[in-house]
Amino acid sequence: MGDMSRISRRIGGIAPSATLAVDATAKAMRAAGQDVVGFGAGEPDFPTPDHIVAAAEKACSEPRMHRYTPAAGLPELREAVAEKTARDSGVTVPASQVLVTNGGKQAVYEAFATLLDPGDEVLLPAPYWTTYPESIRLAGGVPVDVVTGPEAGYKVTVEQLEAARTERTKVLLFCSPSNPTGAVHSPEEVREIGRWAEQAGIWVLADEIYEHLVYGDARFSSILVEVPELADRCVIVNGVAKTYAMTGWRVGWMIGPKDVVSAAANLQSHATSNVSNVAQAAALAAVTGPLDAVAEMRTAFDRRRLTMHRMLGEAQGVECPLPQGAFYCYPSLVGAIGRELRGRTPTTSAELCQLILEEVGVAIVPGEAFGTPGFARLSYALSDDDLVKGVSRISGLLAETR
């Protein structure tokens, strides 16, 4: 046990990302010259728009940007985020209630760190984004999975939430449009969940990063617009990553009640100080500029969404609801697990995904990473040709099952 004491229990207890095992094999295969199609990445395959890059280049030569700036964010960016939030989601907040963070991930972590005491429970609709439970545990909280399935379109109900609530429940994590499923709650469903939370006296952490990526008849709706009375117990996290193809720039934000934002800003002043000023200048150009980039991406994603959904639906043993938002399909692989494939019999989605990668060079992320084994996540943020090639390889392989 000697070695165990070298790493703290808190950090040693973080689950390694199930995506990394798949990713490591994929990279090794690529390095060996194999043609691998990767459906793993949750990022747009478009470059950041030129006017945003130009703003960052200009900021590089401004001496003010070479110095420390306020830990909570450049005042003009906080102001612009408040204006963007009013414009895009209809939620009105002063700039003082905006905290600029190093990506959406830091906003999620700081929100949980600020709200949770040891033993506090967080209702976590599953399938969930793989980082949520780890952020909750790091903050001393207890994730309580509320599992939804394809038959419900992966949407959680008030009945399920109420059944999972205890006297320790402090927060509901709400993500719509959803990563990993692409589920989008209707405005009526969002309102019902918001009212329930308000009456139950629990906090809502709403992740709205995919707000602009909705398709067909689906409409994004902010929980604070539907239930304004939640304002005193609601934290919204968002960022520039998905809307403006800026995953690598690392700029997100948290919006919430004054006391929470000020406490989280205090935490951030010790953790990282200000977000890189050059990235903040890029984010300022993004949120004050047009939404042309996201409109163009949405057209491409919508086309790929329909192609991937149709092709997965034709694959043997695969069942996939039509996603309405984000850029993921989340099929059930249950019908393909436990059958013999090329001399092996995978008994879990993790084993099946590993087999798919090794046999036909296609990387997909198993449902184990998202709290629902038996499923997988495929991103359609990749070229149309690669998408068709990758899903065809999976279908061809599954057609061989016995």
Side-chain angles (χ1 to χ4, degrees), residues 375-393:
F375 295 76
R377 187 190 81 174
L378 287 79
S379 164
Y380 46 85
L382 77 172
S383 77
D384 297 68
D385 291 350
D386 280 351
L387 188 155
V388 170
K389 177 167 75 171
V391 182
S392 301
R393 287 182 185 180

Side-chain angles (χ1 to χ4, degrees), residues 216-289:
D217 299 332
R219 233 162 31 82
F220 165 74
S221 162
S222 178
I223 202 159
L224 268 194
V225 169
E226 299 303 330
V227 188
E229 2 2 330
L230 256 181
D232 198 45
R233 274 203 314 274
C234 180
V235 174
I236 292 174
V237 299
N238 204 330
V240 294
K242 317 294 180 182
T243 302
Y244 306 98
M246 291 177 71
T247 48
W249 295 82
R250 311 313 305 136
V251 183
W253 55 81
M254 172 202 300
I255 292 172
K258 281 199 167 51
D259 55 345
V260 172
V261 167
S262 131
N266 191 18
L267 162 62
Q268 185 163 302
S269 75
H270 294 291
T272 58
S273 301
N274 59 279
V275 173
S276 157
N277 294 317
V278 170
Q280 288 194 79
L284 180 62
V287 299
T288 54

Side-chain angles (χ1 to χ4, degrees), residues 306-393:
L306 296 170
T307 302
M308 180 179 276
H309 174 256
R310 175 179 55 75
M311 291 182 71
L312 285 172
E314 292 163 0
Q316 194 173 311
V318 177
E319 180 202 341
C320 185
L322 180 64
Q324 296 185 293
F327 36 61
Y328 309 103
C329 279
Y330 198 75
S332 164
L333 304 179
V334 172
I337 293 167
R339 301 179 174 202
E340 193 186 315
L341 257 182
R342 302 205 177 172
R344 291 152 72 180
T345 305
T347 57
T348 62
S349 43
E351 287 177 11
L352 179 57
C353 291
Q354 192 69 23
L355 189 148
I356 288 170
L357 179 57
E358 290 168 12
E359 292 293 333
V360 293
V362 179
I364 65 178
V365 188
E368 280 82 351
F370 309 106
T372 58
F375 295 76
R377 187 190 81 174
L378 287 79
S379 164
Y380 46 85
L382 77 172
S383 77
D384 297 68
D385 291 350
D386 280 351
L387 188 155
V388 170
K389 177 167 75 171
V391 182
S392 301
R393 287 182 185 180

